[in-house]
Amino acid sequence: MTSESNRQKELDHRERALREREVELRLREMESNIHVNDAAFHETVKHQPENSQKPWMNKVILGGKLFVLGVGVLVAVKIASVLAGFIIVAALGWMSYKLFFESKKTNL
């Protein structure tokens, strides 16, 4: 029995060694193919459209957009504050009327 198990272990060991050698050989072949077939080096360049604007022009446009946005916000805040003032004055007037000028009915 032990000779059978020893024989099986020896076969497994040889098979593993054979697979390792095959893998090493295949890796060497792949490495040699890589070095033989070196691809040509191509330098890349940034694509520039023909009708692109100048960089300072883009900044001017962005600044103009920001200015218009700021003016729009200021106008919106001013309108909101005037509207809030009208609402507050109307609410105070209505409360004053209710408290001081509306006649109280007394049931005697």
Side-chain angles (χ1 to χ4, degrees), residues 1-68:
M1 262 277 40
T2 57
S3 64
E4 269 305 307
S5 65
N6 285 343
R7 181 164 169 76
Q8 185 64 31
K9 286 182 185 179
E10 180 66 27
L11 287 175
D12 289 341
H13 178 68
R14 285 184 181 181
E15 187 177 336
R16 192 175 319 115
L18 181 62
R19 269 190 254 131
E20 287 175 3
R21 276 187 255 142
E22 287 176 352
V23 168
E24 288 175 5
L25 180 64
R26 181 65 185 139
L27 286 175
R28 272 188 247 124
E29 287 176 2
M30 290 171 67
E31 187 175 286
S32 66
N33 286 343
I34 289 172
H35 291 302
V36 169
N37 297 333
D38 279 338
F41 178 73
H42 297 286
E43 188 173 340
T44 60
V45 293
K46 184 177 179 181
H47 173 70
Q48 303 231 346
E50 295 175 12
N51 59 355
S52 67
Q53 297 177 342
K54 295 181 174 113
W56 61 269
M57 190 61 159
N58 289 336
K59 289 182 182 179
V60 168
I61 291 172
L62 183 62
K65 288 179 183 178
L66 184 61
F67 177 75
V68 168

Side-chain angles (χ1 to χ4, degrees), residues 68-82:
V68 168
L69 180 66
V71 169
V73 167
L74 288 176
V75 168
V77 167
K78 187 68 174 175
I79 291 172
S81 66
V82 168

Side-chain angles (χ1 to χ4, degrees), residues 84-100:
F86 286 146
I87 292 173
I88 290 171
V89 168
L92 285 174
W94 180 73
M95 280 193 259
S96 298
Y97 172 76
K98 283 291 194 181
L99 287 174
F100 300 114

